[in-house]
């Protein structure tokens, strides 16, 4: 019988010939990611008296959320994580200088097609951009996988999304995802796997695919899959320690999908998620002119090099509205270095941006805190009440292009007005 | 875990996210009492204090969506809440609740039927939730997973398997 990618990978990681939706299996992930939450998993290990790890090579630790530490408590927790990594010889340990865990792990070749990856972050779905299955779990469960090597997983049903056509100028992967989340709802893909196909995919960059796989979490997806192709191998092969380990896995052509949805990218327009739910989306045209106090360009959704370039292209030679604070947080050290070398950072700074060190930054409430009544526009993936400070502030979400245009205007603006 | 859970309910709507349940700035805690002091405070004045007089939370679709933070279920337990009944749960919250020993029940019909302050009775053995003389069936948690909940969470479960000598290699 034909299998979806979730069925295929979960069967392989559970040592089974085949599995079917609804079945519960004991799966052995290839990688267990923990970020700033690592100290909590360490405390669970202590509490249960476990001393040995199933396989230290399967652990990856990245201190990304509050980096560098801003209070003694954060410092102590990071120290716990650092000491644990040292004690157990965790080679895939990245300290506060590295950036956002998801991006760092992909950039360093720790994620490859066919892998099953779990971690202390809901946006683990992003690994689907490289043809791997990723899913978020809590810190106790991470400790459990550290010790036992496995976790129970229910085999999900799958939704097939087929993308055809090309984006119009000023429209991007972020607009596509906001459109989808708005249409399908915050639980439109609840408990389900999402596979992307279509004639539009070969033209989409790895960076765009990361945005798609990341945002798919906001419609409840358990995991995401974008079939690896030439773009994937070109990006990933030079990053893999063992290039021979690049062995893409694909769904069978006759696999059974619960639902199939076709999207024509050419019909999409710039989109905005309004406060306080990601599913509360509207075309930019409907909220144009809404005043903003802060604009945040960053996060695992849109803090990548290409995202910074899109914003810089619009901001080059222009000045942002003086009433707006534009905060730029590159997703990783690699991204920041590239943006430095190519002059993108200089362009952003000259336009009036404040550039911070790489990491989760304001998306995770690290800097850029909002006061009562303030409005933030953000390229991140969540606009929940109070996420960036006061519960009387509000957050809109957009693409990097819309964000740059809005920073110039001091109010939500249509990026197509500023394209050169 | 008790065989029967009874008490007064507080009712939420759809898509209650884990940032609302416990804001990111409090993830420096893992202690239920400490977390409960700030649970749901994003909802404004009166929270979380007013939730302390209720025993069971009832919610609509996609309860606990968003962040995978386990402290969302820990904070709810810290408030003295004994169970959560929802039309549906976000998958990370569902797992975290089980791993945290917080009983959860998926039952859309109950959500439609109840109002704040109503009495609810959950019979785990019978698989029934009772409300004003009517019984509602809920789908049982798979047996292999229910064991985790019965032992009060994944840490206890793991401890018991380690002690039983089923130690991992």
């Amino acid at each position: 019988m034909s299998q979806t990618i979730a069925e295929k990978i979960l069967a392989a990681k559970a040592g089974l010939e085949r599995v079917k939706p609804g079945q519960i299996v004991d799966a052995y992930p290839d990688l267990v990611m923990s970020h700033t939450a690592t100290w909590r998993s360490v405390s669970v290990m202590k509490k249960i008296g476990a001393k040995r790890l199933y396989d230290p090579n399967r652990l990856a630790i990245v201190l990304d959320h509050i980096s560098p530490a801003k209070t003694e408590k954060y410092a102590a927790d990071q120290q716990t994580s650092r000491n644990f990594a040292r004690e157990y010889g965790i080679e895939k340990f990245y300290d506060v200088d590295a950036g956002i865990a998801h991006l760092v792990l992909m950039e360093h070749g720790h994620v490859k097609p066919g892998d099953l990856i779990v971690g202390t972050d809901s946006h683990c779905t992003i690994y689907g951009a490289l043809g791997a299955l990723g899913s978020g779990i809590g810190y106790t469960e991470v400790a459990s996988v550290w010790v036992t090597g496995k976790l129970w997983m229910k085999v999900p049903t799958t939704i097939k999304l087929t993308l055809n056509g090309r984006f119009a100028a000023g429209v991007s992967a972020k607009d596509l995802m906001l459109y989808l989340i708005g249409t399908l709802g915050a639980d439109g893909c609840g408990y389900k796997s999402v596979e992307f196909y279509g004639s539009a995919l070969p033209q989409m960059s790895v960076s765009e695919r990361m945005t798609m796989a990341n945002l798919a979490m906001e419609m409840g997806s358990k995991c995401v899959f974008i079939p690896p192709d030439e773009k994937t191998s070109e990006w990933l092969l030079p990053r893999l320690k063992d290039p021979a380990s690049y062995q893409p896995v694909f769904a069978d052509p006759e696999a059974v999908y619960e639902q199939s949805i076709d999207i024509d990218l050419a019909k999409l327009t710039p989109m905005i998620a309004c406060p306080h739910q990601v599913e509360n989306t509207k075309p930019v045209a409907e909220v144009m002119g809404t005043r903003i106090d802060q604009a945040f360009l960053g996060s695992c959704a849109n803090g990548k090099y290409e995202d910074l370039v899109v914003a810089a292209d619009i901001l080059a030679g222009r000045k942002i509205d003086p009433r707006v604070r534009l905060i730029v947080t590159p997703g990783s050290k690699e991204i920041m270095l590239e943006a430095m070398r190519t002059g993108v950072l200089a362009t952003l700074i000259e336009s009036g941006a404040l550039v911070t060190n790489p990491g989760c930054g304001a998306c995770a409430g690290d800097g850029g805190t909002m006061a009562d009544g303030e409005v933030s526009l953000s390229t991140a993936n969540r606009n929940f009440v109070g996420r960036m400070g006061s519960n009387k502030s509000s957050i809109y979400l957009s693409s990097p292009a819309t964000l740059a245009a809005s920073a110039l205007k001091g109010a939500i603006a249509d990026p197509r007005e500023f394209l050169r | 875990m008790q065989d029967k859970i009874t008490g007064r309910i507080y009712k939420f709507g759809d898509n209650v996210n884990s940032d609302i349940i416990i804001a990111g700035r409090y993830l420096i805690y893992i202690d239920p009492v400490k977390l409960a002091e700030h649970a749901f405070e994003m909802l404004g004045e009166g929270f979380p204090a007013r939730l302390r007089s209720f025993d069971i939370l009832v919610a609509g679709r996609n309860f606990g969506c968003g962040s995978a933070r386990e402290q969302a279920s820990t904070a709810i337990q810290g408030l003295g809440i004994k169970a959560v009944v929802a039309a549906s749960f976000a998958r990370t919250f569902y797992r975290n609740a089980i791993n945290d020993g917080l009983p959860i029940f998926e039952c859309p019909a109950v959500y439609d039927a109840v109002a704040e302050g109503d009495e609810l009775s959950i019979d785990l053995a019978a698989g029934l939730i009772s409300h004003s003389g009517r019984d509602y069936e809920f789908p049982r948690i798979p047996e292999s997973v229910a064991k985790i909940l019965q032992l009060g969470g994944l840490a206890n479960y793991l401890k018991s398997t380690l002690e039983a000598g089923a130690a991992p290699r």
Side-chain angles (χ1 to χ4, degrees):
Chain A
M1 218 185 94
S2 294
Q3 293 183 287
T4 63
I5 199 69
E7 289 161 20
K8 221 174 228 185
I9 292 180
L10 287 176
K13 303 308 168 188
L16 299 169
E17 187 74 19
R18 58 177 71 260
V19 297
K20 54 180 196 299
Q23 187 176 343
I24 288 181
V25 300
D26 276 334
Y28 287 76
D30 300 277
L31 193 69
V32 193
M33 181 280 283
S34 58
H35 50 38
T36 306
T38 302
W39 67 272
R40 301 170 209 149
S41 304
V42 173
S43 79
V44 172
M45 256 186 89
K46 281 214 180 92
K47 184 174 155 191
I48 61 175
K51 300 236 158 35
R52 269 186 303 175
L53 300 176
Y54 175 79
D55 178 2
N57 289 324
R58 296 195 190 199
L59 272 67
I61 298 172
V62 188
L63 303 182
D64 60 3
H65 271 59
I66 308 289
S67 58
K70 66 176 176 187
T71 64
E72 282 177 49
K73 172 72 166 87
Y74 284 114
D77 294 342
Q78 289 178 2
Q79 184 183 45
T80 300
S81 306
R82 232 170 253 131
N83 289 343
F84 171 82
R86 215 165 283 153
E87 184 185 344
Y88 283 90
I90 307 303
E91 284 179 19
K92 301 181 188 82
F93 172 77
Y94 297 90
D95 218 310
V96 292
D97 58 314
I100 306 171
H102 301 309
L103 302 178
V104 170
L105 296 186
M106 289 190 282
E107 286 169 354
H108 285 80
H110 301 317
V111 177
K112 58 185 191 309
D115 279 357
L116 174 65
I117 299 164
V118 293
T120 54
D121 195 278
S122 60
H123 293 109
C124 282
T125 54
I126 193 173
Y127 305 125
L130 299 178
L133 285 195
S135 218
I137 57 176
Y139 67 80
T140 299
E141 194 148 34
V142 158
S144 175
V145 184
W146 281 355
V147 174
T148 67
K150 62 177 181 177
L151 78 167
W152 67 270
M153 290 190 90
K154 189 156 99 176
V155 180
T157 55
T158 301
I159 293 184
K160 180 180 183 177
L161 294 175
T162 304
L163 312 177
N164 296 312
R166 268 178 187 266
F167 289 124
V171 184
S172 69
K174 180 61 161 288
D175 300 299
L176 160 69
M177 294 315 295
L178 292 180
Y179 167 79
L180 277 171
I181 296 160
T183 307
L184 300 176
D187 63 347
C189 301
Y191 303 113
K192 294 181 180 68
S193 174
V194 173
E195 295 182 15
F196 283 93
Y197 295 98
S199 61
L201 270 191
Q203 300 146 26
M204 297 177 110
S205 68
V206 169
S207 175
E208 287 177 289
R209 296 173 192 194
M210 288 177 185
T211 299
M212 285 151 56
N214 182 289
L215 265 297
M217 198 284 137
E218 302 307 321
M219 42 191 191
S221 312
K222 175 181 193 140
C223 51
V224 174
F225 176 72
I226 298 176
D229 60 9
E230 278 171 28
K231 284 240 163 66
T232 321
S233 56
E234 196 183 301
W235 190 88
L236 186 58
L237 275 176
R239 300 167 185 275
L240 291 177
K241 214 186 223 171
D242 172 19
S245 67
Y246 185 85
Q247 300 285 345
V249 182
F250 300 96
D252 296 319
E254 303 299 316
V256 177
Y257 295 96
E258 189 184 89
Q259 196 182 353
S260 291
I261 300 169
D262 291 0
I263 314 273
D264 180 0
L265 301 189
K267 288 191 177 149
L268 299 174
T269 59
M271 298 291 293
I272 285 267
C274 300
H276 297 287
Q277 308 261 9
V278 189
E279 67 172 11
N280 190 11
T281 60
K282 288 179 182 154
V284 164
E286 288 182 30
V287 283
M288 250 165 50
T290 305
R291 278 268 301 116
I292 60 168
D293 300 288
Q294 183 170 292
F296 172 64
L297 175 59
S299 89
C300 47
N302 280 121
K304 295 168 275 96
Y305 178 70
E306 278 181 28
D307 301 319
L308 305 192
V309 170
V310 166
D313 282 349
I314 289 175
L315 294 169
R318 294 168 170 152
K319 295 277 181 218
I320 62 166
D321 186 290
R323 295 169 298 179
V324 176
R325 313 181 289 271
L326 172 58
I327 301 175
V328 179
T329 301
S332 71
K333 186 192 282 194
E334 179 183 311
I335 292 165
M336 189 165 192
L337 272 171
E338 199 177 352
M340 243 176 89
R341 289 191 187 114
T342 57
V344 164
L345 283 192
T347 302
L348 294 169
I349 293 169
E350 279 161 9
S351 78
L354 151 73
V355 177
T356 80
N357 61 304
C360 299
C363 177
D366 185 14
T369 305
M370 309 287 297
D372 284 2
E374 285 194 321
V375 176
S376 174
L377 181 63
S378 160
T379 61
N381 35 36
R382 292 208 174 113
N383 58 350
F384 300 156
V385 64
R387 186 167 167 93
M388 294 173 80
S390 163
N391 64 350
K392 294 185 186 76
S393 65
S394 47
I395 308 170
Y396 291 80
L397 304 177
S398 80
S399 71
T402 301
L403 181 116
S406 307
L408 290 173
K409 283 240 165 166
I412 292 173
D414 192 321
R416 293 171 295 189
E417 206 182 306
F418 292 92
L419 296 178
R420 302 182 215 239
Chain B
M1 198 171 59
Q2 300 162 288
D3 292 335
K4 209 157 191 172
I5 302 168
T6 56
R8 283 176 71 232
I9 65 122
Y10 184 85
K11 192 174 177 181
F12 286 105
D14 294 336
N15 296 325
V16 173
N17 65 62
S18 50
D19 273 72
I20 286 180
I21 301 173
I22 187 77
R25 67 193 75 128
Y26 303 117
L27 302 184
I28 51 169
Y29 306 119
I30 50 176
D31 173 52
V33 177
K34 203 84 195 145
L35 287 164
E37 287 172 16
H38 303 285
F40 296 97
E41 74 177 21
M42 281 302 151
L43 295 178
E45 221 170 300
F47 287 92
R50 62 182 297 209
L51 291 174
R52 291 187 190 272
S53 57
F54 298 93
D55 311 291
I56 297 169
L57 301 184
V58 177
R61 289 184 296 114
N62 209 23
F63 185 81
C65 62
S67 160
R69 61 191 61 167
E70 186 171 326
Q71 287 98 323
S73 62
T74 317
I76 289 172
Q77 283 183 302
L79 286 173
I81 299 294
K82 295 184 276 192
V84 184
V85 181
S88 69
F89 292 94
R91 60 163 289 281
T92 44
F93 184 88
Y94 184 88
R95 291 189 85 92
N96 285 335
I98 291 167
N99 291 337
D100 231 15
L102 172 67
I104 46 169
F105 305 91
E106 215 164 58
C107 194
V110 166
Y111 173 72
D112 293 335
V114 302
E116 184 181 316
D118 287 359
E119 287 279 335
L120 215 60
S121 169
I122 307 167
D123 186 332
L124 282 92
L128 292 174
I129 299 176
S130 309
H131 170 258
S132 352
R134 265 197 74 178
D135 287 341
Y136 301 85
E137 252 180 275
F138 58 82
R140 309 288 186 104
I141 291 170
E143 210 172 310
S144 58
V145 180
K147 261 188 255 164
I148 299 170
L149 201 47
Q150 278 151 15
L151 287 173
L154 185 58
N156 288 346
Y157 175 83
L158 212 53
K159 203 168 174 204
S160 73
T161 55
L162 291 178
E163 281 161 3
R169 67 176 168 84

